[in-house]
Amino acid sequence: MRFNHSAWRVRLLFVPATPSPLSSAQSQLPCGIRLRTEPITRRSRYLSTTYGPPRASMEAGDVRGGGLSHSALDRLPAPPKIPMRSRDERKAAMSSDLILDGMVGSNIKLERRIFCNRNVNMSTVTAVGFDQDYTLAQYRPEEFETLVHTLTVDKLVQVFGYPEMLYSLDFDWTYMIRGLTIDKQRGNILKIDRHKYVKVAYHGFKQLSRSARLNTYTRVSVRDALDQPDKYTLIDTLFSLAEAYLYMQLVELKDEHPELLPGAKSYADLYRDVRGAVDLCHRDGTLKRVVAADPERYIHKDPALVPLLTNLRRSGRKVFLATNSLWDYTNVVMNFLLADRVGAAKNDAWLAYFDVVVTGCGKPSFFKDLKPLFEVHVQSGMLYNTDGGSPMIPVGQDDLPELVVELRNEQLEVPGLSNGALKSLENPATVPKS
């Protein structure tokens, strides 16, 4: 069989896998798909799927205008009819507990699956790190975001001097999404595409007209960069949703009743106050104390976390936790998620799921700035004064105090905290970076 170098195509004829009077140049596949090739210069009445070599020979009467003759087509059996499913049937199949992808079945529900557009070769990954908040700990937005809004309003009234009528403001936790941008100078919230084009703009909760939007952000002699931190801020975390909603409420209050605000507040001043009130809720522990008192109300319990962390460690990889939360709150959340313990029942057994735990990271600067590490005594939550990861001998003494030595010996015997993990903590250079 010879082939020339001219372009060629492949034909797929979907017919039952039964004998039929086709020419010898057609290859029959077990699944009932017959493969047929012909030069691309010929006109085809069938679906062309890819390119292939030309036919070596054809029997007389098999070809007419690049395809089968009418007599040959008449001898082909009719293809089987595939029943069409209704829209409701297709929707039910997609939401079924058992989703088949054509090759293997999975009992993971569709909403819990992870889809990606890039493969990762896990054989080259030696350490896997997790954040805590909104990563391992998935907060219930209807409860947690409402709590953030309520506590922030309280700080604005009690600390920043805003009127008590703010307590009557409602909160819709479904309204905001991540990826929006706040224009602090104008009191607007923007939807920007990847080309820095403002597609949608709201002032408070009122959408700007197309002409107003273009005149503000497009038809200007000098366009803003839209990423200047003094003028714009990005809603890039789930923690920012409640504060963005509250900021929009204050924008409308300024427009309708500016006399109610403390002093002559600009839109930028409003955002600065909201941001300061939210930070104060985190700094003074107001927010986390409420969550720690009833973690089940504010945090989803995920039964897949323990198998996930266990399988990663069994695979030989190092697993670490790096969170901005301090030890006391981390201990509460991890006990609830990994050990199902709350209140006085908390212990440190959850440390067994990690090789290294770093709290109070201060990310993202944690990954680029060299900061001293302080060792945590897990029973008391106290910090050891350290230099390069090792406890320092106090000035005027020849050795560490006996209490510190005893505490360190206790920590070495904590179940799940391996010597290797402690050595990694003692040497900051060995702490894995994600």
Side-chain angles (χ1 to χ4, degrees):
M1 181 178 296
R2 286 186 173 183
F3 301 106
N4 56 31
H5 297 286
S6 61
W8 44 271
R9 75 174 74 192
V10 172
R11 287 178 177 177
L12 292 179
L13 304 179
F14 294 89
V15 296
T18 55
S20 59
L22 298 178
S23 66
S24 60
Q26 303 176 34
S27 301
Q28 181 172 325
L29 303 179
C31 60
I33 299 177
R34 304 180 191 277
L35 180 64
R36 179 169 183 163
T37 61
E38 68 173 16
I40 196 172
T41 54
R42 296 180 179 271
R43 297 180 59 85
S44 175
R45 290 175 293 179
Y46 302 108
L47 177 64
S48 298
T49 57
T50 183
Y51 294 101
R55 292 175 296 174
S57 62
M58 299 297 296
E59 294 181 1
D62 270 352
V63 178
R64 179 177 298 178
L68 293 174
S69 63
H70 290 292
S71 58
L73 287 174
D74 294 338
R75 295 195 297 271
L76 289 176
K81 292 184 178 180
I82 301 177
M84 297 295 293
R85 293 188 297 180
S86 66
R87 180 179 180 181
D88 293 338
E89 291 174 337
R90 294 194 302 269
K91 186 176 180 180
M94 290 297 294
S95 61
S96 173
D97 289 347
L98 184 62
I99 305 296
L100 298 178
D101 58 10
M103 295 182 63
V104 297
S106 173
N107 59 357
I108 301 177
K109 292 185 177 181
L110 185 64
E111 60 269 21
R112 294 189 56 83
R113 285 190 167 197
I114 298 176
F115 300 89
C116 64
N117 56 7
R118 180 177 179 181
N119 293 332
V120 177
N121 186 1
M122 289 297 293
S123 64
T124 63
V125 176
T126 59
V128 179
F130 295 91
D131 191 7
Q132 174 182 274
D133 302 308
Y134 278 117
T135 302
L136 294 181
Q138 291 294 325
Y139 293 91
R140 301 179 186 272
E142 67 278 11
E143 295 289 345
F144 185 77
E145 296 301 328
T146 302
L147 175 64
V148 173
H149 184 272
T150 302
L151 296 179
T152 305
V153 166
D154 186 67
K155 295 297 183 186
L156 288 174
V157 174
Q158 301 297 330
V159 180
F160 291 84
Y162 280 74
E164 293 187 358
M165 59 87 57
L166 265 62
Y167 287 125
S168 63
L169 295 177
D170 295 327
F171 175 64
D172 182 5
W173 64 272
T174 64
Y175 189 85
M176 290 291 177
I177 62 172
R178 285 182 298 176
L180 302 177
T181 300
I182 294 178
D183 182 349
K184 296 182 288 187
Q185 302 296 320
R186 302 180 179 91
N188 296 341
I189 189 164
L190 315 174
K191 176 64 176 178
I192 304 173
D193 64 14
R194 61 178 179 175
H195 302 293
K196 304 297 182 182
Y197 176 77
V198 178
K199 303 182 68 175
V200 182
Y202 276 76
H203 182 76
F205 296 99
K206 301 179 180 65
Q207 184 174 0
L208 296 183
S209 64
R210 182 176 183 275
S211 60
R213 170 172 53 85
L214 294 178
N215 292 334
T216 303
Y217 297 103
T218 304
R219 297 168 182 167
V220 291
S221 57
V222 179
R223 294 181 60 182
D224 290 341
L226 300 179
D227 56 1
Q228 302 170 357
D230 58 329
K231 296 182 179 181
Y232 301 91
T233 187
L234 181 64
I235 305 176
D236 55 356
T237 68
L238 293 173
F239 283 112
S240 303
L241 302 183
E243 69 181 69
Y245 191 91
L246 179 56
Y247 175 64
M248 293 294 100
Q249 290 177 314
L250 294 183
V251 168
E252 292 204 331
L253 179 62
K254 171 180 169 56
D255 294 340
E256 298 173 4
H257 302 284
E259 70 279 1
L260 298 179
L261 298 177
K265 295 283 187 180
S266 65
Y267 295 122
D269 293 334
L270 295 179
Y271 180 80
R272 185 183 65 248
D273 291 346
V274 172
R275 180 68 261 176
V278 172
D279 288 341
L280 187 57
C281 291
H282 287 278
R283 287 201 308 269
D284 65 7
T286 304
L287 176 64
K288 293 181 178 178
R289 275 197 295 269
V290 176
V291 177
D294 190 6
E296 188 173 6
R297 176 180 177 181
Y298 298 99
I299 304 175
H300 287 286
K301 188 65 182 296
D302 190 349
L305 285 182
V306 170
L308 168 67
L309 299 175
T310 302
N311 290 336
L312 285 173
R313 296 199 68 189
R314 286 177 178 174
S315 68
R317 296 174 177 85
K318 300 295 183 181
V319 179
F320 67 95
L321 175 67
T323 174
N324 288 353
S325 297
L326 299 180
W327 164 256
D328 55 351
Y329 184 69
T330 302
N331 191 34
V332 170
V333 174
M334 289 294 102
N335 263 283
F336 170 70
L337 289 176
L338 303 180
D340 200 18
R341 295 177 177 270
V342 297
K346 299 192 306 296
N347 58 27
D348 48 34
W350 63 269
L351 291 169
Y353 296 106
F354 301 96
D355 294 281
V356 174
V357 174
V358 186
T359 61
C361 290
K363 295 173 292 184
S365 61
F366 171 78
F367 296 108
K368 59 182 181 179
D369 298 337
L370 295 178
K371 296 181 179 180
L373 291 179
F374 293 84
E375 186 177 346
V376 179
H377 179 241
V378 296
Q379 282 76 24
S380 66
M382 299 179 64
L383 301 179
Y384 295 125
N385 187 19
T386 63
D387 182 14
S390 299
M392 295 175 58
I393 299 175
V395 176
Q397 300 188 23
D398 297 329
D399 200 355
L400 294 173
E402 293 184 1
L403 177 61
V404 175
V405 174
E406 292 176 1
L407 291 178
R408 285 182 56 79
N409 290 337
E410 287 181 18
Q411 188 171 12
L412 287 172
E413 297 173 359
V414 171
L417 186 62
S418 63
N419 291 335
L422 185 59
K423 290 178 181 178
S424 297
L425 284 172
E426 292 176 348
N427 183 4
T430 63
V431 178
K433 299 292 192 296
S434 63

